[in-house]
Amino acid sequence: MHQVRVVSSFVGRWFAVIVVLAGALALAVPEAFAGGTAAVPWLLAVIMLGMGMTLRPVDFAIVARRPWALLAGVATQFVVMPGLAFGIAEVLDLPPALSAGMVLVGSAPGGTASNVIVYLARGDTALSVAMTSVSTLLAPLLTPLLVLWLAGQYLPVDGAGLFTSILQVVLVPVLLGLLLRRLVPGLVERLLDVLPLVSVAGITVVVAIVVAASADTLLSVGLLVVVAVVAHNLLGLALGYAVARVCGFDEQGRRAVSIEVGMQNSGLAAALATAHFSAAAALPAALFSVWHNVSGSLLAGHWARRSAAAASEPTLPAGAPGPRP
């Protein structure tokens, strides 16, 4: 298992690069991946099963201890990101399929990688895990409603179909994972070191399939979509931090909300777009998968260095004179 941990650590560290290379390969030889669109929901279901197996009842204890913090964080997630997605699509005048894809990304719950990023950023990991879990459980209800409201003007939206899809590829696998951890904890504990590899492999294949299936669209409007995705993510990170600050969160809580709001479950958005709209609508989600891991890692490194520097600053003993002006 030591070798698995080493490989998992390596893959986690270079996840963004791996996904970028997979996307480039899919763009170069799209015929090798484009036929795999039917597998996207199944890949996501496997990833969500793994997420469910990592959860414990204690992860939800924050609901009772700090309900205001959790409510404010999740509300920010489902207000800021859908609103930003719609606004950016309007400002950039994106084609209908890409606009619907942006809204799907914005209406998705928090991404599973966000918990690791918050940990690396020395943020409030308990709040991060609770936000991801609760937003995922709320997704079957809130995501279809938001997409129906905001994306319905771009393309026909099957709200009931979205609801059913999210139940199948998100809620059922997560609950099954929770059940497995309770019934066969020994087996699940042995699998925990493998789950990061499964998640990275799943997201990498999803990105490759989506990029290959929408290669023509990416080549024609690629720069515009990249601008939209980068702006969406960076504004989400900034507004998440700002809202948490206004709500009186401490620095660790602000970091957690910032990352939870800015990092989305883009795999879910890609699966839903592929199943209910088109490969082109899944393109923003594929690009988001790459970019939010890059920006999240950079932000986590910055915050971690700040925390380390603050911890290393010498403190004056009580009663000692402070620095002179």
Side-chain angles (χ1 to χ4, degrees):
M1 291 305 291
H2 173 70
Q3 291 179 328
V4 173
R5 293 191 188 97
V6 171
V7 174
S8 292
S9 176
F10 173 84
V11 167
R13 191 163 57 250
W14 296 100
F15 175 51
V17 176
I18 293 170
V19 174
V20 169
L21 292 176
L25 179 63
L27 194 61
V29 284
E31 63 278 3
F33 301 94
T37 52
V40 170
W42 293 101
L43 290 168
L44 180 66
V46 171
I47 294 169
M48 300 313 296
L49 175 66
M51 175 188 171
M53 286 192 287
T54 65
L55 297 176
R56 301 162 299 168
V58 69
D59 294 328
F60 298 93
I62 194 173
V63 177
R65 294 198 318 268
R66 297 159 60 193
W68 160 245
L70 181 61
L71 177 62
V74 173
T76 302
Q77 164 107 46
F78 281 113
V79 171
V80 167
M81 291 305 278
L84 282 175
F86 178 78
I88 291 170
E90 288 291 300
V91 169
L92 296 180
D93 194 24
L94 295 178
L98 295 178
S99 296
M102 287 289 296
V103 170
L104 258 175
V105 172
S107 304
T112 53
S114 60
N115 306 146
V116 177
I117 297 297
V118 170
Y119 172 77
L120 296 175
R122 302 190 182 183
D124 190 333
T125 308
L127 177 60
S128 171
V129 172
M131 282 184 62
T132 299
S133 304
V134 172
S135 66
T136 299
L137 295 176
L138 291 174
L141 175 63
L142 295 182
T143 298
L145 291 175
L146 288 167
V147 173
L148 186 63
W149 177 38
L150 296 174
Q153 60 185 289
Y154 302 123
L155 294 172
V157 176
D158 179 6
L162 285 172
F163 174 78
T164 302
S165 293
I166 298 174
L167 284 180
Q168 292 172 342
V169 303
V170 175
L171 194 59
V172 171
V174 167
L175 294 179
L176 180 59
L178 278 166
L179 184 62
L180 286 174
R181 182 150 193 176
R182 185 168 183 83
L183 295 178
V184 285
L187 174 62
V188 171
E189 289 294 331
R190 289 196 294 272
L191 292 175
L192 289 180
D193 289 326
V194 183
L195 294 179
L197 297 177
V198 174
S199 296
V200 170
I203 290 296
T204 301
V205 175
V206 167
V207 169
I209 291 172
V210 169
V211 169
S214 56
D216 292 339
T217 303
L218 179 58
L219 292 173
S220 61
V221 295
L223 181 59
L224 193 62
V225 182
V226 169
V227 169
V229 166
V230 170
H232 192 199
N233 169 248
L234 295 183
L235 288 171
L237 292 169
L239 289 175
Y241 188 92
V243 170
R245 183 171 185 173
V246 169
C247 290
F249 287 28
D250 60 16
E251 178 60 23
Q252 287 69 37
R254 295 173 196 172
R255 294 177 185 183
V257 174
S258 170
I259 292 169
E260 281 297 321
V261 171
M263 295 186 70
Q264 298 291 88
N265 191 335
S266 45
L268 171 61
L272 294 176
T274 302
H276 295 277
F277 296 120
S278 65
L283 189 54
L287 295 176
F288 204 98
S289 292
V290 178
W291 171 252
H292 78 163
N293 284 288
V294 174
S295 65
S297 299
L298 292 174
L299 184 59
H302 168 69
W303 274 333
R305 287 190 297 272
R306 279 181 53 185
S307 294
S312 64
E313 289 179 357
T315 55
L316 294 172
R324 293 180 180 177

